[in-house]
Amino acid sequence: MNRLIARGRKTAVNAVLATVLLAFMPAPDGSDGFPALTSEANAATAVPPGNRHATQPRIPFASARRTAAGNAGYDAKFERIVGVLRRDSRLIRDIKRVAGLYGIDPVHMLGAIVGEHTYNYDSLDSAQSYYVKALSYAGIRMEFSLGGEHVEDFVKRPQFERCNAGRKDTNTLWNCYQRVWDSTFRGKRVDGTRFPPKTFNEAFFQPLFAGQSFGLGQLSPLTVLMMSDKVAKTSGLDKLSPANEQEIYRAAMDPGRSLHYMAAILRDAIDAYKVVANVDISKNPGLTATLYNLGDPWARASEYRRRRAAGTQAWPVENYYGWLVNDKIEVLRSLL
């Protein structure tokens, strides 16, 4: 009798162990090539490398207009920024070092840099040129305000109460402010004041001129503020305040600092898709470049999860910007 009881206990223990082991195995793909929806206990399903689109998606008119104004084609701009990176061995070392701090492949950072300078900006002669340019902003008075009201005061309005309740990291906090602005203020009349039909970033964080982003990673001041907690925790750099506009611009412009904010943005995109959709995009630099270009990775991960559950989308899809990165991935890896 004792032998039967012992055997029964052993069988039960083995069953429990088997269940635990199965919980930590990567989930197989579901029917029709879709990754199976899995619980958080399961390992995230790796997104295949390469592009889902056979040809490059349409490039937005704004990018085409900027390129035409500079009398340069996309191929020429791509070759130019690759040449800048190839000559700047110090910058490549810094990219590798910073990428290591944030636990990402440095090719993700190269993809973001190349994408920005191919489609959104004409590259300078070297990364240090950005530092020199940053000094030119040092004497300019800047203020993140709208109609004379500073953004720090604006977000104390009662409409932002739920954002300000409890402790939140800077990414969560400023994303919450953006959502409230869009739903309550953007293009609407509130308390007798008509607010402009602009994004939160355009309304408060472009004191020089519209459409401006800065530095090697073409960062906006709002994006820098969002990543402030993650960068301070990972790198030891000081946390930033919207009251100190000059420090925010310096963080965006100085390559020694801006690389940290770029890496934090890319890390955040990878984390969003892993946490929300249980897929790992870390082996597909075209996807991280796409999210770097578009922003709002947590909302996009949530939308992708809904489409996957409905059976309408198998994998996250790159845009024109990310498509270039995947298409030129061997060129980018050769820089490392």
Side-chain angles (χ1 to χ4, degrees):
M1 184 68 177
N2 289 337
R3 188 176 299 169
L4 288 172
I5 292 172
R7 186 180 301 164
R9 287 175 178 169
K10 183 175 182 181
T11 301
V13 169
N14 287 340
V16 170
L17 288 174
T19 301
V20 171
L21 288 172
L22 284 170
F24 286 92
M25 287 177 64
D29 283 358
S31 61
D32 301 322
F34 281 74
L37 291 171
T38 56
S39 69
E40 290 185 2
N42 291 342
T45 306
V47 175
N51 288 317
R52 307 283 78 85
H53 291 291
T55 58
Q56 186 176 31
R58 185 180 64 84
I59 299 170
F61 173 73
S63 175
R65 182 177 57 191
R66 282 191 295 268
T67 298
N71 295 317
Y74 296 120
D75 289 343
K77 291 173 71 178
F78 174 82
E79 293 298 334
R80 184 177 181 189
I81 185 57
V82 167
V84 169
L85 292 167
R86 201 178 298 282
R87 292 191 300 270
D88 200 332
S89 58
R90 177 183 173 183
L91 176 60
I92 296 298
R93 287 196 301 271
D94 287 343
I95 288 172
K96 290 180 178 180
R97 177 180 58 82
V98 172
L101 287 176
Y102 292 82
I104 62 174
D105 188 329
V107 78
H108 293 290
M109 297 181 68
L110 292 178
I113 293 169
V114 166
E116 286 299 325
H117 289 77
T118 299
Y119 296 112
N120 296 329
Y121 191 79
D122 283 325
S123 58
L124 300 181
D125 294 330
S126 72
Q128 288 307 306
S129 299
Y130 284 112
Y131 181 73
V132 174
K133 190 176 180 181
L135 297 178
S136 68
Y137 287 97
I140 300 176
R141 184 178 181 275
M142 305 174 190
E143 188 173 275
F144 299 144
S145 63
L146 176 66
E149 185 174 11
H150 197 277
V151 69
E152 278 195 312
D153 298 321
F154 190 85
V155 297
K156 292 175 183 177
R157 292 180 178 225
Q159 291 89 344
F160 296 96
E161 183 177 0
R162 64 185 178 88
C163 299
N164 295 321
R167 292 180 60 86
K168 295 180 176 68
D169 66 273
T170 50
N171 194 20
T172 302
L173 183 64
W174 288 97
N175 269 296
C176 185
Y177 290 157
Q178 278 196 118
R179 288 193 297 272
V180 172
W181 166 266
D182 286 338
S183 63
T184 307
F185 294 95
R186 185 176 180 178
K188 298 178 181 178
R189 184 178 293 278
V190 180
D191 299 330
T193 300
R194 170 67 69 177
F195 290 92
K198 297 180 177 180
T199 67
F200 190 57
N201 182 53
E202 290 168 340
F204 285 96
F205 292 95
Q206 296 183 342
L208 297 179
F209 48 88
Q212 182 74 336
S213 53
F214 298 88
L216 192 65
Q218 290 297 287
L219 300 168
S220 74
L222 179 56
T223 303
V224 170
L225 273 174
M226 287 178 174
M227 293 296 114
S228 181
D229 273 352
K230 188 181 289 290
V231 168
K233 181 179 179 180
T234 306
S235 71
L237 293 174
D238 291 337
K239 185 175 175 178
L240 298 170
S241 164
N244 194 336
E245 289 88 350
Q246 289 291 345
E247 278 302 300
I248 292 173
Y249 275 97
R250 184 181 173 192
M253 293 290 290
D254 180 353
R257 297 187 181 197
S258 66
L259 289 177
H260 287 274
Y261 292 90
M262 292 180 62
I265 293 166
L266 293 161
R267 176 76 260 175
D268 186 57
I270 293 169
D271 291 344
Y273 273 71
K274 189 170 289 186
V275 171
V276 174
N278 205 26
V279 294
D280 182 3
I281 64 173
S282 66
K283 305 301 182 186
N284 193 310
L287 289 177
T288 56
T290 295
L291 294 165
Y292 188 92
N293 174 238
L294 297 176
D296 207 4
W298 293 84
R300 295 181 190 281
S302 181
E303 177 60 26
Y304 162 67
R305 180 181 174 88
R306 285 193 292 271
R307 290 177 180 174
R308 188 181 68 182
T312 59
Q313 184 176 341
W315 300 108
V317 178
E318 72 285 344
N319 70 350
Y320 73 99
Y321 181 115
W323 191 94
L324 174 81
V325 171
N326 277 340
D327 189 57
K328 303 289 188 181
I329 194 66
E330 293 307 319
V331 176
L332 300 185
R333 288 207 177 277
S334 72
L335 299 172
L336 299 170

